[in-house]
Amino acid sequence: MDLSSWFRETLRTGADGFLWAVEQVPRERWYATPPGGLGEWNVARHVFHMVLYERLIAVPSMRQWMGGEKPMLDDVVEAELWGEEKELEPLIEEFQALRDTQIALCDSFGEEAWSAVRDTIWTGPEPWGSITLKWVVSKTFQHTAEHTHDVMRLALFWDFRVAREQ
């Protein structure tokens, strides 16, 4: 399997799916608190989170396999960076640009790079530790699917949850 080609297509399809999910939620709900059972984050918060992940973790981690520095997140507290009135359109554009960067980076890696191990960042409750580039980009695939799922739940089930609460 040509991993560079596979990840190019997977990253593109994932980004398209995530952005499509965002568009399925009416704009007047992008900043609204979701009804019970649909999570705590509104659409804008999901997009903001995806941009931070792509900017601070995904792209720098891929660049690490090209000789770049290991990303450092010691001082980053996402909740402190979040503001309720973030403009969503510029965030969507930034997400797309960051994802385009990752897709372009895929062409920089030969087959051996995908299995090369590097010591990586610590994120969330679990350290990534020493892992492969294949794992890093697979994590981006999983992360995108997770947030696409969450946004699609907002698109599909919002009205049902509101009706149930009444």
Side-chain angles (χ1 to χ4, degrees), residues 14-112:
D16 290 347
F18 177 71
L19 295 175
W20 186 84
V22 167
E23 290 295 328
Q24 301 318 297
V25 178
R27 288 178 184 255
E28 63 271 12
R29 293 180 178 169
W30 281 2
Y31 299 95
T33 301
L38 294 180
E40 296 178 7
W41 287 3
N42 59 28
V43 171
R45 183 68 166 85
H46 281 285
V47 173
F48 177 75
H49 173 78
M50 290 294 290
V51 167
L52 280 186
Y53 182 88
E54 305 275 319
R55 182 192 316 147
L56 300 177
I57 298 172
V59 171
S61 291
M62 288 181 77
R63 287 189 171 139
Q64 184 182 354
W65 266 259
M66 298 176 67
E69 295 291 319
K70 178 170 75 170
M72 301 304 269
L73 300 174
D74 297 339
D75 298 332
V76 177
V77 179
E78 182 175 342
E80 292 176 5
L81 298 174
W82 168 244
E84 293 300 324
E85 297 303 318
K86 296 278 186 206
E87 288 291 326
L88 202 54
E89 286 80 5
L91 286 173
I92 289 170
E93 290 173 13
E94 185 177 359
F95 170 78
Q96 189 65 65
L98 289 162
R99 186 54 67 93
D100 288 345
T101 298
Q102 290 170 76
I103 291 165
L105 285 172
C106 286
D107 288 329
S108 303
F109 303 114
E111 283 302 310
E112 66 286 345

